[in-house]
C-alpha cells in the first residue's frame, strides 16, 4: 500500500534504481531522484501526468500495456527493454511493474522499478559476439573441433561443421556419447578410456586413431585436447581438435619403405663392391703365376703354352666382367641400341648353348635341349638375346652341383615364344624370389659364393628381355630343389629371315707383306707389349708415349696404321687424330682408337675426330690382326 509517510519516502528516494509511481490510468505521478538522474531528466514537471508508456520507444508499447494489465490484475510483471534517456543515451533496463493497493486491497496505483543493466547487456553482447566469432572460426578450420564439459565421463556438447560434414551425422546424434559410434572398433576401447581419464582429471591429451567418415571409410586423425581454466585455475571446459593425418601416415610409411629399400640397396652395393674386388683379383692371381712360370721356364714350350692358355682364359673372364658392367650402364642410361632383325630362335639358343657348353661340361652337368620342329621367328638382336640365354645357362651351371641336370625347352604359345631353363641346383628361398632380378642381388653372401660373377647377370637378363618387349620370371620350390627361369618373347608371325654373313674366317691366311704400325699409349708397358706382339706378327712397329711424340714420329715414320690411345698427357688422342687428318701424309692413314672408354658417345666422338675404328681395351689379338689387315688392304699404294 502506498503511503506518504517519511519511511516510505525515504525508501523511495534512497533506491539506486529508477522508481516511478503511476496512477491507475497509467500516467506518471512521481519519480525518485536517482531515477531522474538515470533518465537524464532535469525537470520532472515536463513529464508529470504524461502517459508512462510515452517514455518508451513505440515498439515497446504492446509489452508495456501487457505489464500494466498484469499489475491491474494484482500480479507483478517483469520485462527487459532498451530505452534511451531523455538526452538520447541508449540504455537497457530490467523493469518490474507491481500493483499498489489501498487498505481494502484495491489496486489504486502502480510502481515501476527500472534497473540499469546496460553494462550487463554489453557484456552479454560481447560474449555472444565472441562466441559467434569462435563458432565461425571453428566451423571454417579444416580440423574437426569439439567442446566437452570438465569432470564428466567424456560428454561432448558441441562439434564444429567440419566434424559434422566428415561424419555425416547431426549435432544431436553426436552430442553426449554419440561421438563414440564413429571410432574404429579396434581402437575405440583404448582411445575412450584414455580420453575419459584425461577429461575427469582435467589433463591435456593427445592420441592418433582412425575415425569413420560418412562414406564408411576410416581415416587417421591426430587428436589434441586442451583444458581451458578460469582465472582461479578451475577447469571451465575442454576444447579439442582432430587433424587428418592419413596422407602423412601413408607418406611416412612410403618413406620408411623407401629407406628400407635404400638401405637394402646400399647393403647390396657394398656386397657387390666386395664381390667385384674379389672377382677381379681372382684372375689376376693365375695371370701373375703364369707370368712367373714363363719367366722360370722360357725354354719349355709345353709349360709356356699352358701358362698362355691360363692367362687367356683369365683375361677373358675379366673382360666379361667389365663388359657386363658396361652393358648394364648402357641399359640404365637408355644408351643400348638393339640391332633387331628377323632371327630364328633356334639359332639364338644354339649360340648360347655353344658359348656355355664348356662351363656346363667342366662342372660335370648333363644338358638336355627340347626344340620344336618348326622355326620360331623373333624380331630380335641375335647377339643380345643370345647373351640372355647364355647368362641363364651359366647361372644354372654355377649353382648346380656336379652330376646335376640342366634342361632347356622351347615352345610357342599363341603369339609368344616360351623358353624354360630348369636346373636341379641349390634352389631359391621364397623370400629371395621377389628381388632375384634386382641390381646386386645375391642369394648368398659374397664370402659364401665360390661360383664367381658380380650378381648383375640376372639384372642384365631382365633388362634385355624387356627391351625385346618380353618378360622373365623365376620359380623355385625352395632351397635344394632347383629353379626354373622362364622367358616369354613375342614372335614374328610371317617369317622373313635375312641372310647372315658366314663366320669361320679366322684361319684364313694373312698377307705376308709387312706394314708400318705406330703404337701410342702413355702406359709404356701397354705400348711396348702391343708393339712387340705386332712385330712378332710380321709388322714393322714403333712405340711412343705421348701426343707430341706421336705427331713428330708419324710425320717422319709415316706409318700405314696409327694405333692411338685417347687419354694422353699434353696433347690427347683426339687432338692428335685431328692434326694427322689435316696433313697431306695423314689423309689416307688408318687411325685406330685404342681406349678404355667404350660408350656410344665415346665412339661418336672418335669418329668426329677422324678415327676409322674404335677399339676398347683389352683388345683381342686375333680381332686386331684381322682388322689391321682389312684396313691396310684398302690403302692406296
Amino acid at each position: 500500500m502506498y503511503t506518504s509517510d517519511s519511511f516510505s519516502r525515504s525508501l523511495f528516494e534512497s533506491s539506486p534504481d529508477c522508481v516511478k509511481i503511476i496512477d491507475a490510468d497509467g500516467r506518471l505521478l512521481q519519480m525518485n531522484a536517482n531515477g531522474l538522474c538515470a533518465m537524464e531528466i532535469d525537470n520532472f514537471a515536463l513529464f508529470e501526468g504524461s502517459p508512462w508508456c510515452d517514455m518508451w520507444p513505440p515498439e515497446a508499447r504492446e509489452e508495456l500495456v501487457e505489464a500494466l494489465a498484469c499489475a491491474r490484475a494484482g500480479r507483478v510483471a517483469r520485462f527487459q527493454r532498451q530505452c534511451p534517456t531523455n538526452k538520447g543515451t541508449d540504455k537497457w533496463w530490467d523493469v518490474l511493474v507491481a500493483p499498489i493497493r489501498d487498505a481494502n486491497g484495491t489496486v489504486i496505483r502502480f510502481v515501476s522499478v527500472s534497473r540499469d543493466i546496460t553494462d550487463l547487456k554489453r557484456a552479454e553482447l560481447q560474449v555472444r559476439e565472441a562466441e559467434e566469432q569462435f563458432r565461425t572460426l571453428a566451423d571454417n578450420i579444416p580440423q574437426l573441433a569439439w567442446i566437452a564439459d570438465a569432470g564428466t565421463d567424456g560428454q561432448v556438447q558441441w562439434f564444429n561443421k567440419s566434424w559434422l560434414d566428415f561424419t555425416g551425422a547431426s549435432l544431436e546424434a553426436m552430442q553426449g556419447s554419440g561421438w563414440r559410434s564413429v571410432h574404429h572398433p579396434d581402437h575405440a576401447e583404448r582411445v575412450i578410456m584414455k580420453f575419459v581419464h584425461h577429461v575427469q582429471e582435467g589433463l591435456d591429451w593427445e592420441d592418433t586413431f582412425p575415425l569413420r567418415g560418412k562414406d564408411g571409410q576410416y581415416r587417421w586423425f591426430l587428436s589434441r585436447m586442451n583444458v581451458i581454466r578460469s582465472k582461479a585455475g578451475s577447469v571451465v571446459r575442454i576444447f579439442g581438435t582432430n587433424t587428418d593425418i592419413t596422407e602423412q601416415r601413408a607418406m611416412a610409411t612410403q618413406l620408411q619403405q623407401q629407406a628400407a629399400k635404400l638401405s637394402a640397396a646400399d647393403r647390396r652395393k657394398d656386397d657387390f663392391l666386395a664381390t667385384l674386388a674379389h672377382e677381379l683379383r681372382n684372375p689376376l692371381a693365375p695371370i701373375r703365376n703364369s707370368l712367373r712360370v714363363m719367366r722360370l721356364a722360357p725354354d719349355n714350350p709345353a709349360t709356356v703354352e699352358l701358362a698362355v692358355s691360363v692367362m687367356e682364359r683369365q683375361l677373358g673372364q675379366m673382360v666379361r666382367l667389365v663388359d657386363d658392367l658396361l652393358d648394364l650402364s648402357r641399359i640404365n642410361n637408355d644408351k643400348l641400341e638393339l640391332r633387331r632383325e628377323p632371327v630364328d630362335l633356334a639359332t639364338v639358343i644354339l649360340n648360347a648353348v655353344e658359348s656355355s657348353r664348356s662351363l656346363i661340361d667342366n662342372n660335370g652337368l648333363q644338358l638336355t635341349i627340347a626344340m620344336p620342329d618348326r622355326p620360331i621367328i623373333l624380331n630380335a638382336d641375335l647377339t643380345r638375346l643370345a647373351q640372355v640365354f647364355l647368362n641363364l645357362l651359366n647361372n644354372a651351371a654355377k649353382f648346380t652341383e656336379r652330376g646335376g641336370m640342366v634342361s632347356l625347352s622351347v615352345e610357342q604359345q599363341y603369339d609368344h615364344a616360351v623358353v624354360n631353363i630348369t636346373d636341379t641346383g641349390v634352389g631359391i628361398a621364397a623370400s629371395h624370389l621377389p628381388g632375384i632380378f634386382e641390381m646386386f642381388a645375391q642369394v648368398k653372401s659374397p664370402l659364401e659364393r665360390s661360383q664367381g660373377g658380380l650378381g648383375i647377370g640376372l639384372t642384365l637378363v631382365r633388362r634385355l628381355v624387356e627391351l625385346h618387349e618380353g618378360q622373365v620370371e623365376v620359380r623355385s620350390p625352395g632351397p635344394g630343389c632347383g629353379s626354373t627361369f622362364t622367358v616369354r618373347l613375342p614372335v614374328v608371325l610371317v617369317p622373313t629371315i635375312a641372310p647372315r654373313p658366314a663366320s669361320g674366317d679366322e684361319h684364313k691366311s694373312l698377307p705376308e707383306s709387312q706394314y708400318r704400325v705406330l703404337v701410342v699409349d702413355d702406359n709404356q708397358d701397354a705400348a711396348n707389349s702391343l708393339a712387340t706382339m705386332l712385330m712378332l706378327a710380321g709388322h714393322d712397329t714403333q712405340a711412343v708415349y705421348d701426343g707430341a711424340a706421336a705427331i713428330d714420329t708419324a710425320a717422319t715414320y709415316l706409318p700405314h696404321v696409327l694405333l692411338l690411345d685417347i687419354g694422353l698427357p699434353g696433347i690427347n688422342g683426339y687432338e692428335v687424330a685431328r692434326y694427322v687428318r689435316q696433313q697431306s701424309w695423314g689423309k689416307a692413314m688408318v687411325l685406330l682408337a685404342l681406349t678404355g672408354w667404350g660408350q656410344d658417345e665415346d665412339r661418336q666422338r672418335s669418329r668426329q675426330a677422324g678415327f676409322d675404328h674404335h677399339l676398347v681395351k683389352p683388345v683381342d689379338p686375333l680381332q686386331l690382326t684381322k682388322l689391321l689387315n682389312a684396313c691396310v688392304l684398302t690403302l692406296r699404294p
Side-chain angles (χ1 to χ4, degrees):
M1 182 175 67
Y2 172 71
T3 62
S4 58
D5 56 30
S6 59
F7 179 72
S8 297
R9 173 62 59 179
S10 176
L11 288 176
F12 177 75
E13 292 297 339
S14 64
S15 174
D17 301 320
C18 176
V19 183
K20 305 180 188 73
I21 303 299
I22 306 168
D23 66 13
D25 295 326
R27 296 179 179 280
L28 187 63
L29 297 178
Q30 287 182 299
M31 182 181 298
N32 66 346
N34 286 333
L36 293 172
C37 180
M39 290 295 295
E40 297 183 316
I41 296 174
D42 298 328
N43 186 1
F44 176 70
L46 297 176
F47 294 89
E48 186 176 5
S50 63
W52 172 64
C53 293
D54 289 350
M55 299 187 70
W56 297 85
E59 61 269 18
R61 179 169 296 276
E62 183 178 352
E63 191 171 18
L64 298 171
V65 170
E66 290 180 359
L68 289 174
C70 181
R72 284 192 183 96
R75 299 189 305 272
V76 175
R78 186 171 186 176
F79 62 89
Q80 291 183 353
R81 171 60 65 176
Q82 192 174 17
C83 179
T85 67
N86 184 50
K87 295 182 179 180
T89 303
D90 199 15
K91 290 187 177 182
W92 271 90
W93 305 92
D94 183 17
V95 182
L96 184 146
V97 180
I100 299 175
R101 303 175 187 271
D102 60 12
N104 296 322
T106 302
V107 175
I108 59 173
R109 292 184 179 85
F110 311 103
V111 60
S112 168
V113 181
S114 302
R115 176 165 294 177
D116 187 349
I117 58 170
T118 303
D119 292 340
L120 178 61
K121 283 294 184 179
R122 287 174 179 169
E124 289 179 353
L125 180 61
Q126 290 175 352
V127 170
R128 284 198 303 272
E129 289 177 347
E131 185 173 321
E132 185 63 28
Q133 290 176 355
F134 164 77
R135 291 180 183 275
T136 301
L137 176 63
D139 280 338
N140 286 277
I141 62 175
Q143 286 84 3
L144 316 186
W146 43 270
I147 295 176
D149 286 340
T152 67
D153 59 349
Q155 300 295 306
V156 181
Q157 288 72 45
W158 175 84
F159 296 89
N160 72 340
K161 185 176 182 296
S162 296
W163 176 286
L164 301 179
D165 288 345
F166 173 76
T167 60
S170 65
L171 177 61
E172 293 73 20
M174 289 288 99
Q175 284 178 322
S177 299
W179 56 269
R180 303 185 184 193
S181 63
V182 298
H183 276 259
H184 195 288
D186 293 345
H187 301 265
E189 182 177 358
R190 172 188 65 82
V191 172
I192 293 171
M193 288 182 61
K194 184 177 178 181
F195 171 68
V196 170
H197 169 74
H198 282 71
V199 170
Q200 292 174 341
E201 297 297 325
L203 302 173
D204 290 345
W205 168 71
E206 181 177 307
D207 203 349
T208 57
F209 44 79
L211 295 175
R212 187 182 67 247
K214 58 186 176 184
D215 59 357
Q217 302 298 314
Y218 285 91
R219 296 184 66 83
W220 279 87
F221 287 86
L222 168 63
S223 184
R224 288 195 175 101
M225 180 183 83
N226 295 106
V227 175
I228 301 174
R229 300 179 181 275
S230 66
K231 292 182 178 180
S234 60
V235 178
V236 177
R237 61 186 56 170
I238 293 169
F239 178 73
T241 60
N242 297 74
T243 303
D244 192 331
I245 58 170
T246 306
E247 280 72 25
Q248 290 89 329
R249 281 176 62 89
M251 186 178 298
T253 300
Q254 292 175 356
L255 289 174
Q256 291 174 354
Q257 294 173 346
Q258 187 65 23
K261 289 181 180 179
L262 291 174
S263 178
D266 191 56
R267 289 193 300 270
R268 291 198 301 269
K269 180 199 69 176
D270 291 341
D271 288 345
F272 164 75
L273 292 176
T275 304
L276 176 61
H278 177 266
E279 295 301 327
L280 289 176
R281 287 193 182 100
N282 274 347
L284 290 176
I287 289 175
R288 172 176 285 180
N289 294 338
S290 297
L291 289 172
R292 183 61 178 170
V293 166
M294 293 174 64
R295 186 177 296 277
L296 294 175
D299 299 328
N300 188 329
T303 301
V304 171
E305 179 61 28
L306 178 61
V308 170
S309 298
V310 169
M311 288 191 292
E312 287 179 342
R313 284 197 302 274
Q314 298 303 318
L315 183 60
Q317 173 67 11
M318 294 182 69
V319 171
R320 283 193 295 273
L321 294 176
V322 174
D323 285 344
D324 280 351
L325 288 173
L326 292 175
D327 284 344
L328 196 57
S329 174
R330 293 187 188 104
I331 292 175
N332 287 338
N333 291 283
D334 295 325
K335 294 182 178 179
L336 182 68
E337 296 182 1
L338 298 181
R339 295 183 174 89
R340 301 179 71 166
E341 59 183 337
V343 297
D344 189 346
L345 179 57
T347 303
V348 177
I349 296 296
L350 292 177
N351 283 355
V353 169
E354 181 181 357
S355 299
S356 66
R357 175 65 73 174
S358 60
L359 178 61
I360 293 173
D361 292 343
N362 289 338
N363 287 3
L365 305 176
Q366 180 181 351
L367 174 64
T368 61
I369 302 175
M371 301 283 294
D373 296 332
R374 298 177 58 185
I376 299 177
I377 307 304
L378 310 177
N379 182 29
D381 185 320
L382 187 149
T383 301
R384 293 301 184 183
L385 203 52
Q387 184 179 359
V388 167
F389 297 113
L390 172 61
N391 279 356
L392 292 176
L393 287 169
N394 285 346
N395 188 75
K398 289 177 183 179
F399 292 97
T400 302
E401 300 294 334
R402 181 171 293 276
M405 295 182 60
V406 177
S407 62
L408 186 152
S409 65
V410 180
E411 62 177 329
Q412 182 170 342
Q413 295 179 356
Y414 302 103
D415 57 350
H416 277 75
V418 180
V419 182
N420 289 299
I421 297 178
T422 303
D423 63 67
T424 59
V426 298
I428 306 170
S431 59
H432 290 139
L433 286 173
I436 198 68
F437 293 104
E438 296 297 326
M439 184 84 75
F440 313 140
Q442 300 275 8
V443 173
K444 298 181 179 181
S445 70
L447 294 178
E448 295 172 323
R449 299 182 69 252
S450 60
Q451 294 86 352
L454 299 177
I456 62 175
L458 293 180
T459 303
L460 275 174
V461 166
R462 184 186 66 180
R463 301 290 178 84
L464 289 173
V465 169
E466 289 173 348
L467 287 176
H468 284 85
E469 293 88 40
Q471 302 87 36
V472 60
E473 61 183 21
V474 59
R475 303 184 305 278
S476 176
C481 299
S483 58
T484 298
F485 286 83
T486 300
V487 177
R488 300 177 185 274
L489 296 163
V491 302
V492 177
L493 299 181
V494 181
T496 54
I497 304 178
R500 296 185 58 81
S503 59
D505 57 352
E506 292 85 352
H507 302 292
K508 290 182 179 180
S509 59
L510 300 176
E512 295 181 357
S513 56
Q514 294 181 343
Y515 309 114
R516 292 187 300 277
V517 181
L518 177 60
V519 180
V520 185
D521 198 322
D522 60 330
N523 185 326
Q524 295 189 19
D525 287 340
N528 293 335
S529 61
L530 182 56
T532 300
M533 182 188 73
L534 294 174
M535 180 186 66
L536 294 174
H539 301 292
D540 182 30
T541 63
Q542 287 191 26
V544 295
Y545 315 117
D546 58 62
I551 291 174
D552 293 341
T553 305
T556 57
Y557 183 52
L558 297 178
H560 297 100
V561 178
L562 179 56
L563 267 169
L564 185 59
D565 187 21
I566 299 298
L568 295 172
I571 305 174
N572 64 42
Y574 296 126
E575 296 169 328
V576 172
R578 282 191 285 267
Y579 176 82
V580 169
R581 285 302 187 213
Q582 292 170 358
Q583 311 307 312
S584 58
W585 48 263
K587 295 186 182 299
M589 190 178 297
V590 175
L591 302 186
L592 302 181
L594 188 59
T595 175
W597 302 102
Q599 302 285 14
D600 292 340
E601 57 266 29
D602 301 317
R603 297 177 185 276
Q604 181 179 358
R605 189 177 179 187
S606 65
R607 284 195 299 270
Q608 293 172 347
F611 284 97
D612 295 292
H613 294 278
H614 187 105
L615 304 176
V616 179
K617 298 178 181 179
V619 65
D620 180 81
L622 183 59
Q623 177 190 4
L624 177 59
T625 301
K626 289 171 56 181
L627 182 59
L628 281 174
N629 285 281
C631 291
V632 173
L633 288 175
T634 64
L635 290 173
R636 294 189 298 272

